[in-house]
Amino acid sequence: MTSPPSSPPPSSPYAAPAASVLDLAPVVPVVVVEDAADAVPLARALVAGGLPAIEVTLRTPAALDAIRAIAAQVADAVPGAGTVITPRQVTDCVAAGARFLVSPGWTDALLTAMQASGVPFLPGVSTTTEVVALLERGVREMKFFPAQAAGGTAYLKSLAGPLPQARFCPTGGIGPANAPDYLALPNVGCVGGTWMVPEDAITAKDWARIESLARAAAGLRRRPLSAGGTCR
């Protein structure tokens, strides 16, 4: 995640930057908001459970309003935008109050827009070539997606030797059972997941359940590697 300017100019439309999302909590909730009215109580539940960084995906018409509401009403939250795939979305999300951006992949145009946005970002990668290309552009923090399908912990472990400067937030196919395996890797700062924001809990507005799941996720710790260096 490229470090943004420490103090944006007064005319800048961008919000103050967040600290590296990879270091805020072991898990970044990946949230799909169907009704913007749910955004604030959902964010408050996640923050109360110890997960301040919240990735609101641009998969519904309510996403930008959800980001806007969280940014305005949940002081301790660090709202971000996920599934960012166009330069226009970069502009719209930051104007809505997103303090970080996450993409499932990247192009030159998208990367240029994210670098110019003034907020931290995690471009998505799934191959060594993509990682090297981003390092060449000065980007060291990335989303590894889709994590399980793209090789999982074994693939990320193989990158740590030749490319130790790259750090990752793996997302895709990760839950409470395998999250500690990812967190045990030296090049993983946090993981992204949806298990603490189940759709049925959001529909039922069961914020207490979401807070409880978030607290359990926030309590995840890195598992030590075995003597042979394999995640178990």
Side-chain angles (χ1 to χ4, degrees):
M1 187 177 291
T2 301
S3 297
S6 56
S7 54
S11 60
S12 172
Y14 304 123
S20 173
V21 176
L22 272 65
D23 299 319
L24 290 177
V27 179
V28 174
V30 179
V31 178
V32 178
V33 179
E34 298 287 350
D35 183 350
D38 291 334
V40 167
L42 173 60
R44 285 174 176 160
L46 292 170
V47 170
L51 302 181
I54 302 167
E55 178 186 335
V56 179
T57 63
L58 301 184
R59 300 180 189 178
T60 70
L64 286 177
D65 285 339
I67 292 169
R68 194 174 290 111
I70 294 169
Q73 300 180 52
V74 189
D76 293 330
V78 181
T83 324
V84 177
I85 59 173
T86 69
R88 176 59 185 267
Q89 288 177 331
V90 170
T91 301
D92 291 345
C93 290
V94 178
R99 294 176 60 193
F100 66 95
L101 306 169
V102 184
S103 67
W106 63 278
T107 64
D108 285 338
L110 180 59
L111 183 63
T112 297
M114 290 193 294
Q115 288 180 313
S117 71
V119 299
F121 58 91
L122 292 170
V125 298
S126 60
T127 69
T128 305
T129 299
E130 291 171 310
V131 174
V132 172
L134 285 177
L135 291 173
E136 190 176 78
R137 297 280 293 268
V139 179
R140 296 191 174 190
E141 296 186 349
M142 313 167 194
K143 171 179 178 174
F144 181 59
F145 176 83
Q148 283 291 94
T153 55
Y155 193 93
L156 284 172
K157 182 183 174 185
S158 72
L159 295 180
L163 302 171
Q165 63 271 56
R167 296 181 72 214
F168 301 95
C169 173
T171 305
I174 298 176
N178 62 355
D181 295 335
Y182 282 93
L183 292 169
L185 300 175
N187 55 352
V188 169
C190 65
V191 300
T194 61
W195 73 88
M196 74 297 303
V197 285
E199 183 178 352
D200 62 335
I202 296 175
T203 299
K205 304 186 187 305
D206 191 348
W207 312 126
R209 178 184 170 198
I210 289 174
E211 180 180 338
S212 178
L213 291 169
R215 185 170 291 108
L220 290 174
R221 293 292 180 264
R222 297 178 180 272
R223 256 181 214 164
L225 296 177
S226 69
T230 301
C231 287
R232 296 182 181 273

